[in-house]
Amino acid sequence: MTVYARVAGGLVAELVEIEAEGPPLAELFHPDFVATMVALPEGSEVAEGWTWDGEAFAPPPPPEPVAPVVPATISRRQMLLALVAGEVITAAEAWEAATVGAVPAAIDAVFAALPDADALAARITFATMIEVERAHPLIGAMIAAELVTEAEADSLFVLAATL
């Protein structure tokens, strides 16, 4: 059995197997079709999607990783679970925040650096928010205070959306 790769635009479009004892390729197909065929070396592992540069076959490059979409909002529960998973707060702090509205120490330290009126508003907002917006100023304050980086905040939101 002889295997041919039909090449279109430098890519293997399909593989065609022809019986070795059968008629020649030129008798089976139209000359234009035959002109697109390249005989594969016996035992080669060429597959559809491989490239052909006129001399050699090569596998396609690996697909580009798809960047996860950062959700615009997450729930408070998701936020607390993600903060624990990201080791920003402890499980005990998350439980206390979930049950009595306490502000975890690392986050409270960020709020403590704000002017008094803003610190109070930040604490109340954090303790009572139902949804957390990625663009919320409290997230910005946590980034500005270097509790998390922009990328870490994005990662926490992506993780939170799965929880």
Side-chain angles (χ1 to χ4, degrees):
M1 176 129 345
T2 303
V3 179
Y4 293 88
R6 184 176 65 81
V7 178
L11 293 176
V12 175
E14 68 179 316
L15 299 175
V16 178
E17 295 180 8
I18 306 294
E19 293 292 332
E21 296 81 31
L25 190 63
E27 289 180 17
L28 295 172
F29 300 106
H30 188 276
D32 291 342
F33 188 79
V34 173
T36 67
M37 307 291 275
V38 177
L40 299 181
E42 193 168 327
S44 66
E45 297 184 20
V46 174
E48 290 178 12
W50 281 43
T51 60
W52 168 252
D53 65 6
E55 295 182 19
F57 291 98
E64 291 290 323
V66 177
V69 175
V70 178
T73 61
I74 56 174
S75 71
R76 177 176 176 75
R77 176 190 67 80
Q78 289 172 311
M79 175 195 61
L80 292 172
L81 291 171
L83 290 171
V84 170
E87 300 180 355
V88 176
I89 65 173
T90 67
E93 288 176 308
W95 175 251
E96 191 175 14
T99 57
V100 296
V103 178
I107 296 169
D108 195 51
V110 171
F111 298 161
L114 299 172
D116 288 344
D118 293 340
L120 176 61
R123 287 181 178 110
I124 290 171
T125 300
F126 183 89
T128 59
M129 61 180 27
I130 295 169
E131 282 191 335
V132 183
E133 296 176 6
R134 173 60 182 87
H136 195 282
L138 294 182
I139 303 301
M142 291 168 38
I143 293 166
E146 299 180 356
L147 182 60
V148 294
T149 66
E150 286 276 352
E152 290 168 338
D154 287 346
S155 293
L156 287 172
F157 269 69
V158 169
L159 171 64
T162 68
L163 303 174

